[in-house]
C-alpha cells in the first residue's frame, strides 16, 4: 500500500543495438522518513537520475575544493563518454577537466603521483574493464603506498566509472570488478544503487583521504529516483562502510549492490505475494563490508541469499556467505544461497546474455529454496 | 663494446609557433603539425626541426672520451662543490658495500639491489636539486635516497626491517619513501615510477597554474634501460611533452636488465633518440663521469624549472655488482666489467680534482674516514633498533582507518583501543 509506481523512460546505451527491456519497471520504496503523510504523490520530492546525481556531486565537490580535478578519456569536450561530466569543462576549464590520451596505465599513474602531493584527482575509466590496464597503479602505487611509506604518503584519489554488464557489449566490456578490488587492503570500494547513494557516496569518496574505487553501473545512469532535500544539499554525504536496509523483512535476507538491488526489490515484491517477507540490504560499500548489518539481519531472518552480477568464484557473495557462516552459524536455518553471474565470459546474443546474468526469477527461486519451498534448480554453472 | 656517438640536442630558443587554444590543460602549446616527416635525421643537419615543429640546434661533442679537452669544455666547479660530490659518491659506495656485507651476514634479506658503479648519475643529478624537488626511483633506490638527504641510519634501519627505518620497516629495500625529502619511491615494478613521477610534475604545474602558488618544483624520474621498452615509458613521454611538465627522465643505461642484454631486448638501442619523436630533447652523456652528468643535469633541470618541459637524458653507466645480491652474474663478460671498472666514477673524480688542485689528498682521506664512521654508526643504530611492535601491523593501511569498517558492536573498528593489539583478523 505504501507504494509509488514510477516508470523509467530513458536508458542510454552507447552501443544502441539491444532494445529489449532488461530492467522493465522497477518499484522504488520511499524510505518512511521522507514519505509524505498523505497518500497523494507529493511534488516536494524531486526526482533525479543517477547521471545527474553524479554530475551534481562532481560539480559541487570541484567547486568546494580547487584541488579536486577530473581526468579521463572524453571527460571534457565530449562531455563524458556517458555524459556524467556534462558541463564541467565549460565551468572549470581544461586545467581541471582533463581529456587524456588513451593511456590508462600512464594517466592513472599520473593521477596517483598528483595525489601523493595532495591534489585530489578523480580518474575516470570509460569502463572498469579498461582499469585492468592500470590495475598496477591502483593496487601497487595507490592502495599500498600509505602502508609502505608508514603513513607518510596518503593517496586521496577516486577511481570511478561504469562496472559490470551493460547490454550487448560482449565479453571484454562486461566484467564486474567488485570482488577483485574489494580483496585488496588499502582500498575502499563503493557501489551505489540509487541517486541518493550516487551523490552521497561519491561525495564521501572525493573527500576521503584514501584511494576509493567507485563502481557505477551504466544501466542505472538513466534511472530516476526520488531524492529528499537533504540529499540535494551540497554538504550531503553517506558514511563509507555502512549498508542500507532498503526494505525490511523477517523471513529471508537478500544482500545486493548496484543494479542487483533493483532486481532484489522486485523479487521481494513477488515473494511478498507468496507470503515470504524479504529484507533487502543495499551493501553500498563492498570494502569495508558492513558485516554488522548483514549479520544482524541474518540473525533476525535466519536465511541468506546473496546476489551479485559478477563471476561466482571468489565473488562478493562468497565473502558474505563465509562471514555469515563464521559469525552467525547458530542462527542459520538453511544453507546460505549465492546468486551470481554465470561462470562464462559474457556472450553477445541477447538470449544468452540474459542467461548469463541473474534475473529476478533467479533471486525469487533462491529465496524460496532458502525458505524450504520446493523449486526446481536451474542450471548450476 | 662500442661507445655511442655522443650528441647533444638542445632547442636553440623558446618555441616559436602558433598557440592554438586546445583542450590540453595549462594552455600548453599543442604539438603543431609535422613540418617534416618523422624520419628526419637529427644527427647530420646543423639546423633541423623536431617532429613538433620546434627548431633545434645540433651540437656534436665527443663527451664519451676522457680526454683532457673535455675538462675545459665543462664549467669549472668550486672546491666546495668538488668535496660535496666526492662525499656523496663515497657515501653511496660505502653504504652499498656495507649492505652486501650485512646481507651475507643475514641482517638484510629479501631483494636487495645495489648501485655500485652508478654513483655519478645519482650524485650528478640529485645534488643539484632543492629540498622541495622530487625524486622517483626504482628498486635500486638506496643511493637515490642518500643523495636526496635521507639519513644513512634511517635507510640502514629500514633495510634491517626495524621500526626506526624511514618507512618504519614497512617498505624495505625496494620501497624507500620520505615525505620530508620528497623521495616518493622506491617502486618494484619497472616503469611504475615513471607515471607517478609524471604525476608529481603535474601537481607542481597544477599548483602554479590553478592554485596560483609559487611553485617551480622539478621532478626527476630514474629508471633503467629495460624500462625503456615498456609501454608506460612511452605513454609518459607523450603526456609530459603534451602538457609540458617540469620533469627530467633519466635513463640509467647499465646495459643489462638482470641477465638480458640491452642489445638483445631493444630494436634501436639508442635510448636518447626516443625523446625527439615525442618532441622532447634527447641527450646522451657518459654516466661514469659525474662532472659531465652534472653539466647535462643543470641544463635539463633549468629547462624544466623554466617551464620549457621535459628532457630525456640517457646516462651510459654500469653496475659493478649483479642485478641483486641473489644474482650470480654469470652472463656478463669479465672484460666488459674490467673496462668499466677502470672508469670508476669515484676514481675519475678523484683524479680530476687532484690534478686541478681543487682539493688536497688529505681532505679526500678525511672524507673517506668520515663516511666509514658514518656507515658504521648507521649499522650500529640499525642493529640496536627494535623490530616493529605487533600493533604496527594494522597501522597505516589507511589514512582514515575507518576504512577497516564497522565492528559487530556497531562502532568503527579503529575506535576500539585494542584494535591493533589483536590478531590480523579484522
Amino acid at each position: 500500500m505504501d507504494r509509488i509506481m514510477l516508470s523509467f523512460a530513458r536508458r542510454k546505451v552507447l552501443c544502441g543495438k539491444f532494445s529489449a527491456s532488461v530492467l522493465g519497471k522497477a518499484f522504488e520504496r520511499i524510505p518512511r522518513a521522507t514519505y509524505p503523510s498523505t497518500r497523494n504523490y507529493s511534488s516536494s520530492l524531486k526526482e533525479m537520475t543517477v547521471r545527474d546525481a553524479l554530475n551534481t556531486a562532481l560539480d559541487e565537490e570541484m567547486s568546494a575544493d580547487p584541488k579536486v580535478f577530473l581526468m579521463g578519456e572524453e571527460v571534457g569536450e565530449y562531455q563524458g563518454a556517458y555524459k556524467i561530466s556534462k558541463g564541467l569543462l565549460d565551468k572549470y576549464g581544461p586545467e581541471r577537466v582533463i581529456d587524456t590520451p588513451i593511456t590508462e596505465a600512464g594517466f592513472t599513474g599520473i593521477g596517483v603521483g598528483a595525489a601523493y602531493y595532495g591534489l585530489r584527482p578523480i580518474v575516470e575509466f570509460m569502463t572498469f574493464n579498461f582499469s585492468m590496464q592500470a590495475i598496477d597503479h591502483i593496487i601497487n602505487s595507490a592502495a599500498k603506498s600509505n602502508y609502505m611509506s608508514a603513513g607518510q604518503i596518503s593517496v586521496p584519489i577516486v577511481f570511478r566509472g561504469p562496472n559490470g554488464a551493460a547490454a550487448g557489449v560482449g565479453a571484454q566490456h562486461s566484467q564486474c570488478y567488485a570482488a577483485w578490488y574489494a580483496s585488496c587492503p588499502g582500498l575502499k570500494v563503493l557501489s551505489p544503487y540509487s541517486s541518493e547513494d550516487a551523490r552521497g557516496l561519491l561525495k564521501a569518496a572525493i573527500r576521503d583521504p584514501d584511494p576509493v574505487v567507485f563502481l557505477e553501473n551504466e544501466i542505472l545512469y538513466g534511472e530516476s529516483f526520488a531524492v529528499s532535500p537533504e540529499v540535494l544539499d551540497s554538504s550531503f554525504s553517506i558514511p563509507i562502510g555502512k549498508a542500507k536496509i532498503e526494505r525490511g523483512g523477517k523471513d529471508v535476507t537478500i544482500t545486493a549492490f548496484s543494479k542487483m538491488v533493483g532486481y532484489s526489490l522486485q523479487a521481494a515484491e513477488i515473494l511478498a505475494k507468496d507470503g515470504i517477507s524479504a529484507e533487502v540490504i543495499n551493501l553500498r560499500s563492498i570494502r569495508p563490508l558492513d558485516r554488522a548489518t548483514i549479520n544482524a539481519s541474518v540473525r533476525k531472518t535466519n536465511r541468506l541469499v546473496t546476489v551479485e552480477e559478477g563471476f561466482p568464484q571468489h565473488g562478493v557473495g562468497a565473502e558474505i556467505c563465509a562471514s555469515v557462516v563464521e559469525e552467525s552459524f547458530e542462527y542459520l536455518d538453511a544453507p546460505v544461497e549465492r546468486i551470481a553471474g554465470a561462470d562464462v565470459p559474457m556472450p553477445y546474443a541477447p538470449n544468452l546474455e540474459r542467461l548469463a546474468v541473474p534475473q529476478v526469477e533467479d533471486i525469487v527461486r533462491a529465496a524460496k529454496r532458502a525458505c524450504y519451498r520446493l523449486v526446481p534448480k536451474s542450471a548450476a554453472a | 663494446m662500442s661507445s655511442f656517438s655522443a650528441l647533444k640536442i638542445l632547442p636553440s630558443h623558446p618555441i616559436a609557433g602558433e598557440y592554438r587554444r586546445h583542450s590540453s590543460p595549462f594552455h600548453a602549446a599543442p604539438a603543431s603539425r609535422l613540418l617534416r616527416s618523422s624520419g628526419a635525421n637529427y644527427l647530420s643537419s646543423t639546423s633541423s626541426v623536431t617532429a613538433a615543429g620546434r627548431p633545434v640546434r645540433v651540437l656534436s661533442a665527443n663527451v664519451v672520451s676522457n680526454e683532457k679537452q673535455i675538462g675545459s669544455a665543462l664549467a669549472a666547479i668550486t672546491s666546495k662543490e668538488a668535496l660535496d660530490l666526492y662525499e656523496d659518491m663515497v657515501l653511496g659506495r660505502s653504504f652499498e658495500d656495507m649492505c652486501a656485507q650485512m646481507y651475507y651476514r643475514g641482517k638484510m634479506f629479501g631483494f636487495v639491489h645495489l648501485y655500485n658503479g652508478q654513483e655519478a648519475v645519482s650524485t650528478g643529478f640529485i645534488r643539484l636539486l632543492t629540498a622541495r624537488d622530487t625524486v622517483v626511483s626504482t628498486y635500486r633506490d638506496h643511493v637515490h635516497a642518500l643523495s636526496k638527504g635521507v639519513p644513512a641510519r634511517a635507510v640502514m634501519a629500514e633495510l634491517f626491517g626495524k621500526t626506526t627505518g624511514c618507512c618504519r620497516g614497512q617498505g624495505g629495500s625496494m620501497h624507500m619513501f620520505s615525505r620530508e625529502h620528497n623521495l616518493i619511491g622506491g617502486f618494484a615494478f619497472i616503469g611504475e615510477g615513471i607515471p607517478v613521477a609524471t604525476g608529481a610534475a603535474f601537481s607542481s604545474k597544477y599548483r602554479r597554474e590553478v592554485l596560483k602558488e609559487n611553485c617551480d618544483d622539478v621532478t626527476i624520474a630514474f629508471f633503467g634501460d629495460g624500462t625503456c621498452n615498456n609501454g608506460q615509458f612511452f605513454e609518459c613521454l607523450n603526456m609530459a611533452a603534451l602538457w609540458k611538465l617540469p620533469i627530467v627522465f633519466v635513463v640509467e643505461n647499465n646495459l643489462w636488465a638482470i641477465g638480458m642484454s640491452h642489445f638483445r631486448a631493444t630494436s634501436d638501442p639508442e635510448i636518447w633518440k626516443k625523446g625527439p619523436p615525442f618532441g622532447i630533447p634527447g641527450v646522451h652523456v657518459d654516466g661514469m663521469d659525474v662532472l659531465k652528468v652534472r653539466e647535462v643535469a643543470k641544463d635539463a633541470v633549468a629547462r624544466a624549472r623554466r617551464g620549457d618541459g621535459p628532457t630525456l637524458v640517457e646516462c651510459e653507466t654500469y653496475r659493478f655488482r649483479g642485478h641483486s645480491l641473489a644474482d650470480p652474474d654469470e652472463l656478463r663478460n669479465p672484460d666488459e666489467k674490467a673496462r668499466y671498472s677502470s672508469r670508476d666514477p669515484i676514481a675519475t673524480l678523484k683524479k680530476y680534482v687532484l690534478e686541478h688542485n681543487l682539493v688536497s689528498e688529505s681532505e679526500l682521506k678525511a672524507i673517506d674516514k668520515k663516511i666509514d664512521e658514518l656507515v658504521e654508526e648507521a649499522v650500529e643504530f640499525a642493529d640496536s633498533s627494535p623490530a616493529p611492535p605487533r600493533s604496527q601491523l594494522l597501522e597505516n593501511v589507511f589514512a582514515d582507518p575507518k576504512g577497516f569498517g564497522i565492528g559487530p558492536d556497531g562502532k568503527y573498528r579503529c575506535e576500539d583501543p585494542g584494535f591493533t593489539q589483536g590478531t590480523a583478523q579484522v
Side-chain angles (χ1 to χ4, degrees):
Chain A
M1 52 185 180
D2 288 341
R3 255 186 279 145
I4 290 182
M5 284 167 54
L6 306 162
S7 64
F8 302 101
R10 309 179 305 280
R11 196 193 70 225
K12 288 197 174 88
V13 177
L14 215 57
C15 289
K17 280 189 219 150
F18 190 56
S19 59
S21 161
V22 176
L23 208 46
K25 286 182 182 167
F27 301 89
E28 168 70 352
R29 183 178 171 82
I30 312 295
R32 280 204 169 271
T34 54
Y35 190 74
S37 53
T38 67
R39 264 199 186 191
N40 299 326
Y41 177 74
S42 169
S43 57
S44 65
L45 281 173
K46 267 193 71 176
E47 276 213 355
M48 188 181 237
T49 61
V50 171
R51 178 178 284 109
D52 287 338
L54 294 168
N55 183 277
T56 51
L58 287 172
D59 193 352
E60 286 160 21
E61 292 304 305
M62 286 180 76
S63 159
D65 185 350
K67 297 202 288 291
V68 177
F69 67 95
L70 177 65
M71 70 194 295
E73 293 155 13
E74 311 292 12
V75 294
E77 293 189 358
Y78 198 82
Q79 310 296 323
Y82 297 94
K83 309 301 182 209
I84 305 296
S85 52
K86 185 168 175 174
L88 296 180
L89 175 67
D90 283 336
K91 194 164 173 189
Y92 296 104
E95 298 104 343
R96 293 186 66 196
V97 180
I98 298 164
D99 279 325
T100 61
I102 306 175
T103 48
E104 272 77 9
F107 70 70
T108 304
I110 288 180
V112 172
Y116 277 18
Y117 276 96
L119 299 186
R120 304 187 88 95
I122 303 167
V123 175
E124 176 173 314
F125 294 114
M126 201 180 276
T127 77
F128 261 93
N129 299 276
F130 309 151
S131 75
M132 290 198 289
Q133 302 214 321
I135 199 166
D136 173 37
H137 283 291
I138 299 174
I139 308 289
N140 276 328
S141 11
K144 298 181 183 172
S145 286
N146 201 62
Y147 194 77
M148 289 196 295
S149 69
Q152 294 176 81
I153 294 179
S154 81
V155 192
I157 192 170
V158 176
F159 304 103
R160 51 161 290 272
N163 177 56
V169 293
Q172 293 187 352
H173 281 73
S174 304
Q175 193 166 332
C176 174
Y177 290 87
W180 282 32
Y181 289 119
S183 74
C184 184
L187 282 182
K188 296 175 183 171
V189 180
L190 305 176
S191 193
Y193 162 60
S194 62
S195 302
E196 178 185 339
D197 291 352
R199 263 184 69 80
L201 291 176
L202 185 56
K203 279 167 169 291
I206 295 170
R207 295 174 199 171
D208 197 276
D210 289 307
V212 179
V213 171
F214 194 82
L215 305 170
E216 303 161 3
N217 186 289
E218 194 221 317
I219 309 282
L220 286 178
Y221 283 153
E223 295 291 325
S224 270
F225 296 86
V227 285
S228 67
E230 190 206 348
V231 172
L232 293 171
D233 186 66
S234 68
S235 64
F236 176 69
S237 87
I238 291 177
I240 292 177
K242 202 96 194 65
K244 179 182 179 196
I245 298 181
E246 293 283 350
R247 177 188 175 122
K250 56 180 181 47
D251 292 327
V252 60
T253 297
I254 302 178
T255 67
F257 60 96
S258 188
K259 191 170 82 187
M260 291 292 129
V261 176
Y263 282 34
S264 301
L265 289 169
Q266 286 184 66
E269 282 302 320
I270 295 172
L271 288 165
K273 294 203 194 79
D274 280 330
I276 297 177
S277 155
E279 177 149 294
V280 176
I281 299 181
N282 173 3
L283 292 175
R284 286 181 163 176
S285 177
I286 319 291
R287 179 184 256 273
L289 206 50
D290 190 353
R291 297 166 208 273
T293 299
I294 298 168
N295 278 284
S297 173
V298 172
R299 289 176 185 207
K300 183 175 72 169
T301 64
N302 312 122
R303 295 160 210 275
L304 174 70
V305 175
T306 70
V307 185
E308 64 189 299
E309 200 181 44
F311 299 137
Q313 189 167 340
H314 308 301
V316 175
E319 175 62 33
I320 295 174
C321 289
S323 170
V324 164
V325 165
E326 282 167 6
E327 292 179 35
S328 309
F329 183 68
E330 308 85 22
Y331 294 82
L332 285 170
D333 285 345
V336 291
E337 297 276 346
R338 272 190 298 175
I339 298 292
D343 204 13
V344 299
M346 184 68 69
Y348 169 66
N351 63 322
L352 290 181
E353 188 179 33
R354 231 189 96 82
L355 290 172
V357 285
Q359 302 299 332
V360 177
E361 308 89 70
D362 300 313
I363 305 173
V364 171
R365 217 169 23 238
K368 284 185 172 169
R369 255 199 323 269
C371 293
Y372 300 146
R373 307 295 175 84
L374 282 170
V375 278
K377 270 212 159 184
S378 67
Chain B
M1 51 136 319
S2 62
S3 47
F4 303 106
S5 59
L7 282 159
K8 217 166 165 189
I9 298 182
L10 290 168
S12 55
H13 52 75
I15 291 136
E18 46 156 328
Y19 282 69
R20 212 165 21 103
R21 168 106 183 153
H22 214 35
S23 61
S24 57
F26 311 129
H27 309 286
S32 40
R33 291 177 199 86
L34 287 175
L35 296 183
R36 328 156 61 107
S37 76
S38 54
N41 187 346
Y42 303 105
L43 307 183
S44 54
S45 54
T46 49
S47 167
S48 62
V49 182
T50 67
R54 300 189 184 92
V56 295
R57 194 180 62 210
V58 173
L59 301 168
S60 252
N62 186 359
V63 294
V64 176
S65 87
N66 260 339
E67 296 169 31
K68 271 254 169 93
Q69 70 208 60
I70 301 304
S72 59
L74 301 166
I77 56 165
T78 64
S79 302
K80 193 156 168 282
E81 282 166 353
L83 288 172
D84 180 62
L85 296 178
Y86 183 80
E87 181 170 335
D88 194 56
M89 289 206 286
V90 169
L91 174 61
R93 181 68 62 86
S94 305
F95 189 93
E96 296 293 73
D97 284 339
M98 184 59 80
C99 284
Q101 269 194 54
M102 292 297 114
Y103 191 85
Y104 294 128
R105 284 198 211 163
K107 304 231 191 230
M108 237 179 251
F109 39 88
F111 289 132
V112 179
H113 308 83
L114 300 181
Y115 200 75
N116 298 50
Q118 300 181 197
E119 293 87 0
V121 181
S122 178
T123 300
F125 270 93
I126 300 180
R127 297 314 288 169
L128 286 173
L129 300 177
T130 69
R132 289 173 47 123
D133 293 323
T134 298
V135 165
V136 180
S137 178
T138 61
Y139 44 75
R140 205 179 296 282
D141 56 356
H142 307 165
V143 179
H144 294 139
L146 295 171
S147 293
K148 196 66 176 58
V150 182
R153 48 182 10 211
V155 181
M156 190 65 81
E158 181 65 28
L159 292 168
F160 279 33
K162 300 293 176 85
T163 195
T164 48
C166 57
C167 298
R168 299 172 81 202
Q170 288 175 209
S173 166
M174 297 187 286
H175 305 297
M176 295 280 168
F177 290 86
S178 169
R179 158 65 76 209
E180 186 196 335
H181 299 99
N182 288 309
L183 170 76
I184 53 167
F187 290 101
F189 283 43
I190 63 150
E192 188 179 353
I194 303 178
V196 174
T198 311
F202 179 96
S203 80
S204 170
K205 191 144 194 188
Y206 190 93
R207 281 180 185 280
R208 188 167 69 242
E209 307 212 341
V210 178
L211 300 178
K212 310 287 184 214
E213 290 172 16
N214 208 1
C215 183
D216 62 356
D217 299 338
V218 161
T219 303
I220 312 249
F222 291 97
F223 47 95
D225 43 284
T227 308
C228 296
N229 296 325
N230 188 276
Q232 291 181 85
F233 170 60
F234 298 106
E235 292 184 17
C236 290
L237 287 183
N238 178 44
M239 286 189 275
L242 185 67
W243 298 331
K244 276 180 101 180
L245 301 181
I247 185 170
V248 183
F249 296 103
V250 179
V251 185
E252 295 171 317
N253 183 355
N254 57 23
L255 308 173
W256 291 89
I258 308 187
M260 189 68 169
S261 151
H262 178 53
F263 301 99
R264 285 182 67 215
T266 316
S267 56
D268 183 351
E270 295 187 85
I271 300 172
W272 60 272
K273 275 160 88 181
K274 302 190 188 193
F278 290 91
I280 298 178
V283 186
H284 175 272
V285 70
D286 172 11
M288 303 305 276
D289 186 325
V290 67
L291 299 176
K292 290 173 192 158
V293 173
R294 195 177 151 88
E295 280 313 297
V296 169
K298 273 190 197 161
D299 281 337
V301 170
R303 209 181 109 78
R305 227 185 273 290
R306 267 194 319 265
D308 285 346
T311 313
L312 176 66
V313 181
E314 180 187 353
C315 302
E316 184 201 340
T317 180
Y318 202 76
R319 52 169 164 83
F320 296 154
R321 291 182 181 269
H323 163 73
S324 72
L325 288 173
D327 174 18
D329 195 16
E330 289 159 345
L331 291 174
R332 300 196 296 176
N333 194 321
D335 290 339
E336 183 187 77
K337 292 192 216 183
R339 233 188 349 260
Y340 278 96
S341 283
S342 69
R343 291 165 60 189
D344 186 329
I346 297 177
T348 309
L349 179 70
K350 187 167 176 178
K351 184 161 171 271
Y352 179 88
V353 297
L354 289 174
E355 276 177 10
H356 287 75
N357 292 318
L358 285 166
V359 295
S360 66
E361 182 90 43
S362 60
E363 278 173 303
L364 296 180
K365 280 210 165 33
I367 290 181
D368 290 341
K369 185 162 179 298
K370 174 180 160 198
I371 295 297
D372 277 342
E373 281 166 13
L374 185 75
V375 174
E376 287 277 347
E377 191 266 324
V379 171
E380 271 163 35
F381 172 78
D383 232 353
S384 59
S385 289
R390 185 199 187 139
S391 58
Q392 203 180 299
L393 181 68
L394 296 173
E395 286 172 21
N396 299 132
V397 179
F398 295 106
D400 166 25
K402 293 209 203 86
F404 278 111
I406 294 171
D409 57 0
K411 293 206 294 256
Y412 283 102
R413 285 204 163 82
C414 59
E415 285 163 6
D416 174 359
F419 171 58
T420 57
Q421 298 303 324
T423 64
Q425 183 183 8
V426 280

